Amino acid sequence: MKLILSRKGFDSAAGGVPSPILPDGRLLALPIPDAASTIRYGDIAVDGAPLASLVTPLTRGKVGPEDGAHLDPDLIADMLPRAPGWRPIFGQSGQAQGHLRNQGVGPGDLFLFFGLFRWVERHAASWRWVPGTRPCHAIWGWLQVESVVAVDQARGDDYAWAHYHPHFRRRPDPNNVLYLARRRLALPGLDAALPGAGTFAGLTPERRLTAPEADRVSQWRLPAWCYPGDGRPPLSYHANRQRWRQHAAHTELSAAARGQEFVLDGDAYPEAWPWAGELIRAKTTTRHS
């Protein structure tokens, strides 16, 4: 089995700003802009309001209600009206999909989605970034793969429920694929009944990747077991041992600035599965103070 740390959502390159941490502590990963998508920011619902009511002020009008949104991964059922048979779904293509294919990612493997986040607050009937807060990388969602389907093979009636997805707006490409979620999570040693995909309720120290007081968001603090010692293969894109530093209680990593999909061999790191299972089981919300 593989565990994949998958970078998704707004950042300085895509969208131009972080995604928000809402006042109640929820992580709301903003889908990146996509002119080809038929999904608009004004179509996506969050707490009964269009996502554009949050995105537009945070981007100072650069992203508006009629702009296309690349809603991917799509993990929350009530964000859009759904066709019968809908399930959480993630699309990938290009170099990033090539990397997943070369790493052997497929059914049973677990994506943990992370992104760049910063606290927001209500201000003058709108939204703004909380003054004095800094962005950080944090894990915001998960998807365990049931099956992998090429988009070009999914254009028929059997996958009609998925045809809204932005990856169907692309030209024929055998490297353009969909990862469909399991109904229930199945990890080694896990006996809890948990969904195969979803989003986390809030930011906790365990879901935060950026180290406390770090100068850069890519300076990560990971569990001690993540260190690639004893001949174990490192997280993909992180083969340079100078990126890693081992401590008694944790591991430090200077995370790669490029690359969307960082793959860990779960057979070499069996500690990954109880760690990931506990992340998903403990869906608590931390309030900002």
Side-chain angles (χ1 to χ4, degrees):
M1 290 178 66
K2 306 290 195 306
L3 185 148
I4 308 98
L5 289 175
S6 181
R7 188 196 316 261
K8 296 294 175 287
F10 266 36
D11 58 22
S12 58
V17 297
S19 288
I21 308 172
L22 299 176
D24 64 2
R26 282 178 296 162
L27 299 166
L28 179 58
L30 300 178
I32 65 173
D34 180 358
S37 175
T38 58
I39 303 168
R40 308 300 180 203
Y41 287 97
D43 300 332
I44 302 170
V46 176
D47 295 339
L51 184 59
S53 64
L54 185 66
V55 174
T56 300
L58 293 180
T59 61
R60 296 186 177 182
K62 294 180 180 178
V63 178
E66 297 304 315
D67 289 317
H70 193 85
L71 186 58
D72 184 35
D74 185 12
L75 307 178
I76 304 174
D78 59 5
M79 277 190 156
L80 290 174
R82 305 298 189 179
W86 179 85
R87 68 172 69 181
I89 186 172
F90 167 52
Q92 191 54 280
S93 62
Q95 182 178 354
Q97 171 53 26
H99 182 65
L100 293 176
R101 183 184 63 250
N102 293 339
Q103 293 287 321
V105 172
D109 295 336
L110 178 67
F111 285 91
L112 292 179
F113 301 109
F114 76 93
L116 184 68
F117 291 89
R118 184 181 170 190
W119 289 96
V120 299
E121 65 182 5
R122 283 283 190 180
H123 178 71
S126 188
W127 293 94
R128 71 174 183 180
W129 305 107
V130 175
T133 58
R134 302 175 64 183
C136 67
H137 281 149
I139 299 171
W140 62 268
W142 77 93
L143 182 150
Q144 187 174 27
V145 181
E146 179 177 91
S147 59
V148 185
V149 182
V151 171
D152 292 347
Q153 298 174 0
R155 298 186 185 275
D157 292 343
D158 289 347
Y159 294 94
W161 61 268
H163 291 174
Y164 73 96
H165 192 274
H167 277 247
F168 282 90
R169 310 281 80 77
R170 301 186 177 190
R171 295 179 179 179
D173 176 3
N175 201 41
N176 181 20
V177 306
L178 303 172
Y179 292 86
L180 308 184
R182 288 181 54 92
R183 302 291 183 185
R184 289 287 179 263
L185 196 67
L187 298 179
L190 181 70
D191 57 6
L194 298 171
T199 59
F200 293 114
L203 181 64
T204 65
E206 294 77 17
R207 297 182 194 125
R208 180 185 170 111
L209 295 173
T210 300
E213 308 303 327
D215 294 329
R216 296 178 291 109
V217 296
S218 58
Q219 291 178 307
W220 289 3
R221 176 173 290 185
L222 301 174
W225 58 261
C226 292
Y227 187 77
D230 301 323
R232 299 193 297 180
L235 186 70
S236 68
Y237 282 98
H238 298 85
N240 184 346
R241 293 306 175 105
Q242 294 183 350
R243 291 185 175 274
W244 299 88
R245 182 170 298 179
Q246 188 177 28
H247 298 268
H250 66 273
T251 291
E252 292 181 10
L253 172 63
S254 179
R258 294 183 179 274
Q260 296 183 41
E261 314 291 352
F262 303 152
V263 183
L264 189 72
D265 184 347
D267 294 333
Y269 295 83
E271 306 95 330
W273 306 120
W275 172 78
E278 181 59 22
L279 281 184
I280 296 168
R281 189 191 65 78
K283 300 201 299 180
T284 58
T285 298
T286 299
R287 292 184 177 273
H288 174 58
S289 58

